[in-house]
Amino acid sequence: MMDGTEGNGDRPEDKGRPSEDHVDRLRRQWTLELPDLDTEPMAILGRAFRLSNLVRPSIEATFADFGLDRGEFDVIATLRRSGPPYRLTPTDMYSALMISSGGLTHRLDRLEKAGLICREKSPRDGRSVLVALTEAGAALAEKAFRTDMASESSFLQALDGQEREALAALLRKLIAGIENDQPRGESEAG
């Protein structure tokens, strides 16, 4: 029975099977309303969207604890993971972050005021600017990322190591297939 009243394991065949989730309920409702429509994409993409919505508040709260919003963290994280000397051109940054140059400028202004980044003239071309991570910015990016990974790890406790690897492999395959079908530049994320 899929009315949400039975818990996990009420029937012998349900042992080890998760109980109905939000997406199951949505699919069941759509099946009643549009029985000719296959809602299988919701089983995967709907769950991916739901998962993102469920964990987003925790991720945002983690960054807020460090005085950052998600966009500001993305900037300093992009610089930190670029490796020494932790400098990028604004063009490289807004391309990696998939935001407009104006959106990046606004973030850079806030981060510069906070002392987390600085803008430097390019040694190769005096007309160009590089965005550099300060020591304080590098330390904050690392600390915030470590805290975020610990928090996100807690969400994965329902899966054992093999299940995590299998899920990661399937998601990688799905994303690669979608990215390969999109025009270049539309498939980058965080």
Side-chain angles (χ1 to χ4, degrees):
M1 184 174 195
M2 296 197 62
D3 63 3
T5 59
E6 290 186 4
N8 184 20
D10 286 347
R11 299 179 310 189
E13 63 269 22
D14 288 338
K15 292 290 183 196
R17 185 184 303 166
S19 59
E20 183 181 61
D21 71 356
H22 180 75
V23 174
D24 289 326
R25 289 186 290 277
L26 295 178
R27 289 184 71 196
R28 184 171 29 83
Q29 290 171 334
W30 278 117
T31 298
L32 292 172
E33 295 299 315
L34 302 172
D36 62 313
L37 183 64
D38 181 6
T39 62
E40 181 183 31
M42 289 179 71
I44 297 168
L45 300 178
R47 282 189 175 92
F49 184 71
R50 176 89 170 141
L51 177 61
S52 177
N53 285 336
L54 288 170
V55 301
R56 181 178 295 120
S58 174
I59 293 168
E60 290 173 353
T62 296
F63 297 140
D65 287 345
F66 291 94
L68 301 167
D69 66 26
R70 176 70 187 252
E72 292 164 342
F73 172 78
D74 286 346
V75 169
I76 64 172
T78 297
L79 288 165
R80 178 63 176 87
R81 70 176 179 262
S82 72
Y86 311 112
R87 291 189 308 220
L88 294 170
T89 67
T91 301
D92 289 339
M93 293 196 68
Y94 70 73
S95 295
L97 295 168
M98 287 194 61
I99 59 173
S100 69
S101 61
L104 177 62
T105 299
H106 183 66
R107 290 179 189 178
L108 295 179
D109 290 344
R110 292 190 318 251
L111 292 167
E112 191 169 36
K113 284 180 186 171
L116 301 174
I117 61 110
C118 62
R119 294 174 174 119
E120 305 171 346
K121 286 194 180 218
S122 171
R124 294 186 189 146
D125 178 1
R127 297 169 296 168
S128 297
V129 173
L130 293 172
V131 178
L133 198 56
T134 64
E135 278 188 41
L140 187 65
E142 182 176 334
K143 192 172 181 183
F145 186 63
R146 288 181 182 278
T147 302
D148 179 50
M149 287 296 95
S151 174
E152 289 186 33
S153 181
S154 71
F155 291 120
L156 302 177
Q157 297 306 308
L159 304 175
D160 66 32
Q162 286 182 322
E163 290 170 325
R164 291 179 196 191
E165 286 179 29
L167 180 58
L170 290 170
L171 290 171
R172 182 182 305 111
K173 182 178 181 179
L174 177 62
I175 289 170
I178 293 169
E179 286 176 346
N180 289 335
D181 288 342
Q182 289 185 350
R184 194 128 165 86
E186 289 183 21
S187 58
E188 296 294 320

